[in-house]
Amino acid sequence: MMISLLLILVLFEQVCVSPVTRIVVLPKPYEDNKVKAVINEKFFLTCFSQNQASTSSLKWLSPSGQPISNDPTLRIYTALNNQQLMLHFEKLEPTDAGLYACQGVHDGLPDQVKIELTLEKKISFHDTKLEQFIKAGQDQLVQCHASSIPGPEIAWFRHGISTNLKNDHKYQITNDGLVIKNVQIEDEAIYLCQASVTSTGEIKRAQINVQVMHQPIWDVKPIDTDGVNGQDIVVRCKANAKPVPKYSWFRNGIMLVGERYVFTADSLRILKSNVNDRGTYTCEAENNSGKISANFRINILVGPVIAPLEEVRVLEGNEARLKCIVREAFPKAQITWKYADTLENISPSSDSSIEIVADSIEDSNDNLVGSWSELRIKPADRRYNRNITCVASNKAEVNERQVRLIVEYKPTLLINSESKEFYYSWLNVDSSGSSGSSSSHVSRGASVLMTCIATGEPKPQITWFFKTEQIKHDNVKYILHKQQSGLSQLEVIPDRLEDFGDYQCKAENTVGSSYRNIELRMATSPSLPPLLILQATKPESVNFQVTVSNEAESNGGLPIHTIKAQWRFLNSDWSNQNEKNFPVSNAERLLVHVGALMPDTEYLFRVAGVNKVGLGKWSQEIKIKTLSRRQPDPIRVLSKEDCAASTKCYIEWTSDSNGGSPIRDYLVKWRRLSYKDSSNKHVDTNRLGRWSDVVIIKAPITNYEITSILPNSFYEVDVVARNDIGPSASQPFRIRTLPGQIGELEAFRKPNESVINRIILICGSIIAAIILFIIIDVLLLMKFDCGLLAILTKSCTNQKEITIDFKPTPTKIVQHTNKSNHPYKPISQTEDHTGNASIPLRPNENV
């Protein structure tokens, strides 16, 4: 009985009392043997015994109670690792949730741990497009599907999270998304679909671009377009729509196809348009919300085509008619006229001889149209003998054609500087007589080129006559040059008096002829003597003014090219004269200078003009007495005021009169007047500088280079000429040197500044030496109870002997310049080892 009772108690303990398990499962359960995991993620459970020696045969059982395989190719499998049995989930699925058990044997008795695997799913959006299209004018759903475990809460926002959408008259939130009522274009925006799980704190948002689909609305509506024949035409057609519309193009209801039509997103291009492209076109824009269309017209403009124009000939005084015909154009061309050379418009309002007659054809809406205009000129004269342009224009282009209007008129002979009324020539004679005398021997005369110019239409031909006989080219007496239309030149080489007289020039064309006499006159030497006027008298020279006549009759028909001047002593005759030739320019007055005369002497002077024929008549004789010998005239400066350097200057001069005695030499001297300071301001010196030493320049040299002068300064230069009588009058002139380098030269300094500065330097040096001596003496006295003087004289016998190797260092005397109001830059200082510091002075500068 007792044994039975014991067995019952043991059995009750094993069955009713929970045994203490030795099996551990990781991760540790968070609540009631529950473990959490995330769907679609990898996961594993680990099972092991706390007492590995007493526990064996571990295995995992699925929620259905079946052992789980250790095949690693399966999604769920077990693996033993160091006596730990691991349960692997390669990818968790919702069906994997359940109660799993890890079993083993402990001390011969079965042992197990059960773990409930609970699954969570992160928020995910599915079947949710991030760009969605909704139709305008209807209630439309913006779809958003979110899922998670536990299930998510959904919220909607617009334009960021600041605008939380609620259920109202405009929006309604459903399980499938957001319903937008009566959709308008303004509802197009970025919407946020937010899913959140409070228990896990997870939150996600889907950004949905909501586009409102609407039928096309015109942005650029096609308009009527004018194209030019042969050129491309571009027509724009653009609509705003969601989704983007598709465009179709039609002409007269028929869709456009072919290589000549190029379609882009918003335009139609017709390549090389022609008149057949005229018509009514339609642009149609369509999408799944609707379509719109617009009609427009294309007109093909055709530029004016002008028929060729032929030249028009008319006699002067008659009416001229020029007709310009436009064969075709669209729209009708406007025709105007202008002169081709001046581009001046031809109009009856500006010229009473003009009349313009045009057609009265009306413009056509579609068809090409021709037109014409006639220019009438009555009476036509030679002014209209020119090219005239017909201008036809419309909206397409402007075209022009020229026509030559030829107004024929009889020749007109011109008289001008080239074609004169008379010409001059002369006969060459030998020394036995004059031209025309019976004893003369006449050779070929001087050739003369006579010119005849004529205008006319047609261009006239010119012939020459002498005494009613036509002149032929013989290359001896008569030579014809430049035989062109309207121009002819006849070269005549006379050899007798009979060759002089009237020549005839005849100009002839188909309208008529004209004549003009051209006289060949006999040229002579000047018949009117020049006018001689005394200007100035000097000991060795005289100056005259000679006036000549420009009249051809006075000059014998030929211009005077030379004035011949002659002079002689009063008590001699003209066989012992002196003479000199002076060339004549175009001026009527000529200045004549006669030099190398004797002082205090009486002369007779006369002049005559010379042309190509010879010497003319002599002028009235003028009696002149030269002045007595005297000093030379003041020199005349030839060089410029500005020098070419900073410290030297080249000067040059001349003397107009030596006073009747040769100049022996020139005396040159100079002095400084003023300078410019560092700011380039002009500064006058306190007093004039001293003149330099006189430099003597032997004649005939008339130049000199002044050296050792200061830069940026004005100098006064005096050059005096000397002859046996004495020096010339002084007539100083100025020169100016270039700026120099800084420190190159010293500015003006007052002479006493240099002395004062030297005294200051010497005194300063003495005082410095005394102070230095006192300092050394005090230091030695403090240390050795014996001063410097006692040590030097060896009178300090009570103290130990002190040896001092004392070598005095020469004092460097430096010149200092006191500040002054002088504006010029200071010079660089120099060292004077003698102790007598001095400032070098420029030559001829006062101390």
Side-chain angles (χ1 to χ4, degrees):
M1 186 69 180
M2 289 297 293
I3 294 173
S4 300
L5 182 60
L6 290 172
L7 291 172
I8 292 171
L9 289 174
V10 170
L11 182 61
F12 179 80
E13 181 182 4
Q14 291 180 349
V15 174
C16 300
V17 179
S18 298
V20 178
T21 178
R22 301 292 182 179
I23 298 175
V24 178
V25 174
L26 295 177
K28 292 182 179 181
Y30 67 94
E31 177 188 354
D32 296 334
N33 291 342
K34 291 182 179 180
V35 175
K36 290 182 180 180
V38 179
I39 294 175
N40 294 329
E41 300 290 338
K42 289 183 177 182
F43 186 72
F44 68 92
L45 295 170
T46 304
C47 175
F48 62 92
S49 174
Q50 292 180 348
N51 187 355
Q52 297 179 358
S54 61
T55 303
S56 61
S57 303
L58 292 175
K59 62 180 178 180
W60 280 98
L61 301 178
S62 67
S64 63
Q66 299 297 320
I68 298 175
S69 172
N70 60 358
D71 184 0
T73 62
L74 300 177
R75 187 175 63 82
I76 303 174
Y77 64 94
T78 61
L80 185 62
N81 183 15
N82 292 330
Q83 296 186 2
Q84 295 180 352
L85 186 62
M86 304 178 71
L87 175 60
H88 287 275
F89 297 86
E90 289 299 318
K91 184 178 181 182
L92 287 169
E93 294 181 355
T95 57
D96 294 335
L99 191 62
Y100 290 81
C102 178
Q103 291 183 350
V105 177
H106 177 64
D107 293 335
L109 297 175
D111 191 6
Q112 73 173 3
V113 173
K114 292 187 178 180
I115 295 296
E116 182 179 355
L117 178 61
T118 61
L119 297 179
E120 293 180 352
K121 181 182 179 183
K122 291 185 177 180
I123 299 173
S124 64
F125 293 96
H126 56 91
D127 298 331
T128 301
K129 297 180 179 179
L130 299 183
E131 184 176 37
Q132 299 185 32
F133 294 89
I134 58 178
K135 293 184 178 181
Q138 303 177 15
D139 295 348
Q140 294 285 297
L141 173 66
V142 180
Q143 295 181 350
C144 179
H145 298 94
S147 62
S148 68
I149 300 177
E153 297 178 1
I154 303 298
W156 285 88
F157 301 90
R158 181 183 179 186
H159 300 307
I161 60 174
S162 60
T163 307
N164 190 0
L165 303 181
K166 304 293 184 181
N167 289 324
D168 55 17
H169 68 282
K170 184 64 177 179
Y171 304 103
Q172 183 178 356
I173 300 174
T174 68
N175 292 333
D176 293 326
L178 177 67
V179 176
I180 303 176
K181 301 176 181 178
N182 189 21
V183 173
Q184 301 297 320
I185 296 178
E186 294 78 12
D187 293 323
E188 187 172 283
I190 301 294
Y191 291 80
L192 295 180
C193 175
Q194 176 178 291
S196 61
V197 178
T198 304
S199 60
T200 62
E202 185 183 8
I203 185 170
K204 281 190 177 180
R205 299 185 182 97
Q207 183 173 284
I208 303 173
N209 183 9
V210 176
Q211 306 249 357
V212 177
M213 293 188 299
H214 59 87
Q215 72 175 17
I217 301 173
W218 289 121
D219 275 350
V220 179
K221 192 174 182 180
I223 59 175
D224 293 346
T225 302
D226 291 335
V228 178
N229 186 37
Q231 299 181 10
D232 294 355
I233 300 174
V234 178
V235 181
R236 291 196 62 199
C237 175
K238 185 177 182 180
N240 180 15
K242 292 287 180 68
V244 176
K246 177 183 177 183
Y247 295 92
S248 301
W249 298 84
F250 303 88
R251 178 175 180 269
N252 298 330
I254 301 174
M255 181 174 289
L256 298 180
V257 293
E259 295 180 353
R260 290 184 59 246
Y261 304 105
V262 179
F263 308 99
T264 63
D266 61 353
S267 68
L268 163 67
R269 178 183 293 272
I270 303 177
L271 303 178
K272 295 182 180 180
S273 64
N274 55 59
V275 294
N276 296 324
D277 292 320
R278 291 198 190 99
T280 301
Y281 290 74
T282 302
C283 174
E284 183 178 277
E286 181 179 11
N287 65 5
N288 53 12
S289 297
K291 69 178 178 179
I292 56 175
S293 62
N295 295 331
F296 61 95
R297 180 170 181 79
I298 290 181
N299 292 318
I300 304 300
L301 308 180
V302 179
V305 178
I306 304 176
L309 301 178
E310 296 181 357
E311 72 174 18
V312 175
R313 286 184 173 270
V314 62
L315 287 177
E316 188 173 28
N318 293 343
E319 182 182 37
R321 294 192 177 192
L322 294 82
K323 190 169 187 178
C324 180
I325 299 175
V326 175
R327 291 175 174 173
E328 61 179 28
F330 183 81
K332 181 182 176 181
Q334 300 296 321
I335 302 176
T336 58
W337 298 85
K338 65 181 180 180
Y339 296 113
D341 50 356
T342 63
L343 303 182
E344 177 188 357
N345 288 328
I346 301 175
S347 171
S349 60
S350 58
D351 189 343
S352 59
S353 300
I354 299 297
E355 180 184 6
I356 297 177
V357 179
D359 65 76
S360 58
I361 301 175
E362 295 294 333
D363 198 355
S364 173
N365 292 331
D366 293 319
N367 299 325
L368 298 177
V369 60
S371 57
W372 58 268
S373 174
E374 187 174 70
L375 173 64
R376 299 175 181 177
I377 305 173
K378 184 178 182 180
D381 57 39
R382 64 192 68 183
R383 292 183 298 122
Y384 302 102
N385 198 348
R386 58 207 298 185
N387 288 330
I388 296 177
T389 302
C390 167
V391 182
S393 61
N394 63 6
K395 291 172 64 177
E397 60 181 331
V398 177
N399 285 327
E400 298 180 352
R401 273 193 184 272
Q402 287 188 9
V403 59
R404 178 68 178 177
L405 174 58
I406 300 175
V407 179
E408 297 182 347
Y409 60 95
K410 121 184 206 186
T412 300
L413 292 162
L414 305 180
I415 299 176
N416 52 34
S417 59
E418 187 178 3
S419 179
K420 303 176 183 178
E421 291 186 272
F422 50 84
Y423 293 85
Y424 287 90
S425 182
W426 64 95
L427 297 176
N428 296 325
V429 299
D430 58 19
S431 58
S432 60
S434 59
S435 177
S437 65
S438 59
S439 61
S440 302
H441 180 269
V442 180
S443 61
R444 295 187 68 188
S447 67
V448 60
L449 190 66
M450 298 188 293
T451 302
C452 181
I453 300 176
T455 62
E457 187 60 48
K459 290 294 183 182
Q461 297 297 318
I462 297 177
T463 53
W464 291 85
F465 296 87
F466 182 61
K467 295 180 180 179
T468 69
E469 183 179 349
Q470 183 175 349
I471 296 175
K472 302 294 184 180
H473 178 91
D474 60 11
N475 207 30
V476 177
K477 179 181 290 189
Y478 301 116
I479 304 173
L480 293 172
H481 299 278
K482 291 186 179 179
Q483 286 298 103
Q484 303 172 0
S485 297
L487 172 65
S488 179
Q489 290 181 322
L490 173 64
E491 182 180 359
V492 180
I493 306 175
D495 57 9
R496 56 182 180 171
L497 292 176
E498 288 77 7
D499 294 331
F500 292 86
D502 289 334
Y503 287 75
Q504 289 80 38
C505 168
K506 176 184 178 183
E508 184 176 16
N509 62 9
T510 57
V511 180
S513 60
S514 298
Y515 295 85
R516 183 168 78 84
N517 288 338
I518 300 177
E519 183 182 0
L520 179 59
R521 297 179 178 179
M522 172 75 75
T524 63
S525 59
S527 58
L528 182 65
L531 178 63
L532 184 64
I533 301 175
L534 178 65
Q535 293 286 88
T537 304
K538 294 184 178 182
E540 79 287 2
S541 64
V542 293
N543 292 332
F544 296 101
Q545 176 181 288
V546 179
T547 304
V548 297
S549 174
N550 285 333
E551 295 182 3
E553 294 295 333
S554 301
N555 297 333
L558 299 174
I560 295 175
H561 59 75
T562 301
I563 292 295
K564 182 182 290 292
Q566 289 185 349
W567 63 94
R568 64 178 176 86
F569 295 113
L570 182 63
N571 55 2
S572 66
D573 56 29
W574 286 109
S575 61
N576 296 319
Q577 89 283 357
N578 295 290
E579 67 179 24
K580 184 177 180 180
N581 292 327
F582 298 90
V584 177
S585 61
N586 294 329
E588 294 183 1
R589 291 179 176 84
L590 177 68
L591 294 179
V592 173
H593 174 79
V594 178
L597 301 179
M598 296 179 62
D600 197 20
T601 304
E602 291 184 323
Y603 290 90
L604 286 178
F605 286 86
R606 66 179 183 179
V607 293
V610 181
N611 62 11
K612 290 183 178 181
V613 177
L615 182 67
K617 293 183 178 180
W618 290 103
S619 67
Q620 184 178 0
E621 298 175 356
I622 296 181
K623 176 182 176 182
I624 297 174
K625 183 178 182 180
T626 56
L627 301 179
S628 301
R629 288 178 37 177
R630 57 177 182 171
Q631 298 94 336
D633 284 355
I635 63 98
R636 179 163 50 88
V637 182
L638 301 179
S639 54
K640 296 181 179 179
E641 179 179 320
D642 290 330
C643 303
S646 60
T647 59
K648 59 185 178 180
C649 192
Y650 175 83
I651 59 173
E652 186 177 2
W653 64 88
T654 187
S655 181
D656 293 330
S657 174
N658 60 14
S661 179
I663 295 176
R664 296 184 311 178
D665 51 35
Y666 298 92
L667 308 180
V668 181
K669 62 180 180 178
W670 61 92
R671 63 179 177 179
R672 195 179 185 199
L673 296 177
S674 62
Y675 67 95
K676 288 189 177 181
D677 61 13
S678 58
S679 61
N680 208 32
K681 292 183 179 178
H682 189 82
V683 178
D684 291 328
T685 58
N686 292 336
R687 60 185 179 80
L688 294 176
R690 185 170 61 86
W691 284 106
S692 67
D693 294 335
V694 175
V695 178
I696 300 176
I697 308 296
K698 293 296 183 180
I701 298 175
T702 58
N703 59 75
Y704 180 68
E705 186 174 62
I706 303 174
T707 59
S708 300
I709 54 179
L710 297 174
N712 212 19
S713 303
F714 284 98
Y715 278 82
E716 182 180 35
V717 181
D718 190 17
V719 179
V720 174
R722 289 195 305 184
N723 62 8
D724 291 338
I725 306 301
S728 65
S730 175
Q731 193 166 310
F733 59 93
R734 290 200 318 174
I735 59 173
R736 179 172 58 187
T737 56
L738 294 177
Q741 298 296 325
I742 297 176
E744 179 184 7
L745 292 169
E746 184 183 8
F748 269 130
R749 298 171 55 89
K750 296 180 181 179
N752 59 349
E753 277 188 1
S754 178
V755 177
I756 294 173
N757 288 338
R758 283 183 292 191
I759 294 173
I760 292 174
L761 285 174
I762 294 171
C763 293
S765 300
I766 294 173
I767 293 171
I770 294 172
I771 293 173
L772 180 62
F773 181 85
I774 294 172
I775 293 172
I776 296 174
D777 187 66
V778 171
L779 292 175
L780 292 174
L781 182 63
M782 292 173 62
K783 187 171 184 180
F784 302 106
D785 295 330
C786 194
L788 178 61
L789 184 60
I791 293 173
L792 294 176
T793 59
K794 298 183 179 181
S795 61
C796 189
T797 57
N798 295 329
Q799 304 297 331
K800 63 180 181 178
E801 185 176 353
I802 301 172
T803 303
I804 299 176
D805 185 11
F806 181 74
K807 294 181 180 179
T809 301
T811 302
K812 182 179 181 180
I813 301 176
V814 180
Q815 177 183 349
H816 298 278
T817 303
N818 290 335
K819 294 182 179 179
S820 67
N821 295 326
H822 203 288
Y824 206 79
K825 300 177 182 178
I827 65 171
S828 59
Q829 308 301 326
T830 60
E831 183 179 333
D832 188 353
H833 294 286
T834 65
N836 182 20
S838 63
I839 301 174
L841 299 178
R842 292 292 173 186
N844 309 314
E845 199 169 347
N846 290 332
V847 178

